[in-house]
Amino acid sequence: KEIFPKLSRVAMLWNKNNDGMALEAKATQEVARPLGVALQDRGVKDPNELEVVFAVMTKDRPDGFLALMDPVLISYQKRILEFLAKNHVPAIFQSSDWVEAGGLISYGPDYPDMFRHAAMQMDKILKGTKPADIPVEQPTEFDLVINLTTAKALGLTIPDKLLALANAVIE
C-alpha cells in the first residue's frame, strides 16, 4: 500500500493442495480486509491451471499480485515472473530469490536464520531431547528486499522511507 496507495485488488496465487497454504490464504484474507484490499483467490490444484489464472488476470487486471510460496509454485518461478513483467503487474513475494529473479518486492522470514534454528533443534533431538519437549518457534527476523529495476519498469516510485527499511535493494 505504501508503494501503490490506490491498491485495492490483489490476485493471490497459492497451491490448494498444500494445507498450510490454505491457512495462510485465510489469514491473508483477514489481514487484507482492514487495508481496503480485496484479494482475488487464485488458488490452483494443478500447475497446469496457471495458464487459466493468467488468462483471468489478463481479463480482470488486478492492481497487484501476491504469491504464497510452496515448492510447487517455486518450480514455476520463471513462468510466473514472465507473466507479471509482460503484463506490468506489481508483485510481492515471501522470498528474496523472487526479487533477485526480477520480482518487485519481497517481505518474509530470514530463511538462513530459520535454518540455523532448525539445525539447533535437530542437534537437541540427536542428543536425546524429545521433540515434544522443544518449544515451537516462529520467525523473529524478516527481510524486506526491493528491486528498483523492476519498480522503474512498472513506473513505480519506491518511497525513501521504505528504501531505508529494506535489508537489500537491487538496482
Side-chain angles (χ1 to χ4, degrees):
K1 281 290 262 190
E2 285 189 41
I3 294 171
F4 192 52
K6 294 180 182 176
L7 183 79
S8 64
R9 297 176 308 118
V10 174
M12 179 177 63
L13 180 65
W14 61 287
N15 180 357
K16 285 187 173 184
N17 290 322
N18 182 328
D19 292 338
M21 291 297 102
L23 294 172
E24 196 166 335
K26 182 180 179 203
T28 304
Q29 288 278 7
E30 291 169 4
V31 171
R33 278 187 206 104
L35 296 174
V37 175
L39 289 180
Q40 300 168 336
D41 188 327
R42 299 294 179 246
V44 296
K45 287 192 173 200
D46 182 315
N48 293 323
E49 294 176 29
L50 282 177
E51 295 308 318
V52 173
V53 167
F54 294 155
V56 170
M57 285 178 61
T58 299
K59 180 179 166 253
D60 290 352
R61 302 295 306 165
D63 301 323
F65 177 86
L66 164 67
L68 303 182
M69 297 288 74
D70 80 341
V72 172
L73 292 180
I74 289 170
S75 66
Y76 290 90
Q77 179 188 62
K78 182 178 178 186
R79 176 67 185 107
I80 293 168
L81 289 173
E82 286 172 352
F83 171 81
L84 295 170
K86 177 182 174 188
N87 290 278
H88 301 284
V89 180
I92 187 166
F93 301 94
Q94 296 169 309
S95 175
S96 62
D97 59 327
W98 285 76
V99 178
E100 292 162 6
L104 174 62
I105 191 168
S106 68
Y107 184 71
D110 177 341
Y111 287 102
D113 184 60
M114 286 177 53
F115 296 146
R116 278 189 293 280
H117 283 267
M120 289 187 288
Q121 289 182 338
M122 282 305 300
D123 181 60
K124 290 176 185 177
I125 292 168
L126 293 172
K127 289 180 178 173
T129 303
K130 293 178 184 174
D133 294 337
I134 299 172
V136 174
E137 293 184 23
Q138 293 204 18
T140 57
E141 301 291 326
F142 293 85
D143 289 334
L144 173 64
V145 180
I146 300 168
N147 187 321
L148 287 180
T149 303
T150 301
K152 183 177 178 181
L154 293 169
L156 296 174
T157 301
I158 307 296
D160 290 337
K161 175 178 137 183
L162 208 54
L163 290 172
L165 293 172
N167 297 80
V169 176
I170 299 168
E171 298 189 54

